Amino acid sequence: RKSIKFEAGRYVPSSVEDSFIECEILGPAGEGQMDVLIVAAPKDIVESRIKACELAGLEVESVDIEPFAAYRSLVEASPYDDTKEQTVALIDVGSSTTHVSVVHQGTFAMTRSIAQGGDTLTDALQKYFKLSREDAETGKTQLDLRELINQSGPTENPPLRILQPHVDDLVREMRRSLNYYQSQQTESGKPAQVTHIMVTGGGAKLAGL
């Protein structure tokens, strides 16, 4: 049992005993097989979140992982019904991690964590220009990443030149995640084409992302 590991966001627990684990059977997947959704969350992280809520005078009824919570708030609770029956990619650009999830008609088909986020860009600006953390963060929020798609590149914008390789890396990993999903074979053939992409998280506030 010690050799089994489940990825849960930013942390991979060393053993099953270190995690809360839930599973649900989604349906048959060929002769003698079935699709099963397994979710794992580190106990110490979950318990710290619950403790914080209790200190704030709140009673916790349930705990969910971030991709599921994002889907419920952005898709299930949305007044626009067309996305609920589509194949949606949720890209959550956090401070240290970017989560890419593909949801087909309400069922999670893939979730992947990329070890890059908004802090990657802040760190690059801070180190190159020798700025304080606060100044680097403020400067980042004032940039417009749309200049990066110009054919000539951001030749007159040194901060964007510094960020360009990091943004390229992040976009490349996003593409790789979606390509991986599209390469998977199912009983009915290849998975449904992604029709919508929703970008969320603090990094989504970057102009032009």
Side-chain angles (χ1 to χ4, degrees):
R1 296 182 66 188
K2 291 290 184 180
S3 64
I4 301 175
K5 294 187 179 182
F6 297 93
E7 186 170 348
R10 305 178 185 85
Y11 174 77
V12 179
S14 59
S15 69
V16 174
E17 289 81 2
D18 294 334
S19 299
F20 293 111
I21 299 176
E22 294 287 346
C23 64
E24 180 177 342
I25 298 175
L26 302 179
E31 184 176 354
Q33 298 182 351
M34 62 182 66
D35 284 328
V36 180
L37 177 66
I38 299 177
V39 177
K43 289 182 179 179
D44 57 346
I45 294 180
V46 173
E47 290 168 351
S48 68
R49 301 297 191 273
I50 293 176
K51 184 63 174 179
C53 291
E54 291 174 346
L55 291 174
L58 302 174
E59 182 178 347
V60 178
E61 291 187 2
S62 62
V63 178
D64 212 345
I65 62 173
E66 291 180 14
F68 287 11
Y71 178 79
R72 290 194 175 96
S73 61
L74 295 173
V75 180
E76 285 189 350
S78 171
Y80 306 103
D81 293 333
D82 58 332
T83 56
K84 295 183 179 67
E85 300 302 319
Q86 303 293 332
T87 302
V88 181
L90 298 175
I91 299 179
D92 182 4
V93 185
S95 58
S96 60
T97 306
T98 297
H99 298 287
V100 180
S101 302
V102 177
V103 188
H104 175 60
Q105 296 180 350
T107 299
F108 273 72
M110 184 203 75
T111 297
R112 181 187 176 216
S113 294
I114 302 171
Q116 291 172 283
D119 283 352
T120 304
L121 307 183
T122 303
D123 291 342
L125 293 175
Q126 181 182 5
K127 291 177 181 178
Y128 186 85
F129 294 105
K130 295 179 172 50
L131 301 171
S132 67
R133 185 72 179 181
E134 293 75 14
D135 288 344
E137 184 69 26
T138 300
K140 180 184 71 175
T141 61
Q142 296 174 353
L143 297 174
D144 189 339
L145 299 183
R146 281 171 289 197
E147 291 186 40
L148 293 176
I149 64 174
N150 294 336
Q151 292 184 353
S152 59
T155 55
E156 301 302 323
N157 195 323
L160 283 182
R161 286 205 302 270
I162 300 304
L163 296 187
Q164 184 163 16
H166 301 287
V167 175
D168 288 346
D169 286 344
L170 182 58
V171 172
R172 187 179 302 111
E173 289 302 318
M174 292 177 182
R175 289 183 181 274
R176 185 175 297 171
S177 300
L178 297 181
N179 288 338
Y180 172 78
Y181 163 74
Q182 290 295 156
S183 70
Q184 301 304 296
Q185 292 286 338
T186 64
E187 288 296 307
S188 58
K190 288 190 175 182
Q193 184 72 31
V194 172
T195 56
H196 295 71
I197 294 179
M198 296 184 178
V199 184
T200 184
K205 297 178 182 179
L206 289 171
L209 180 64

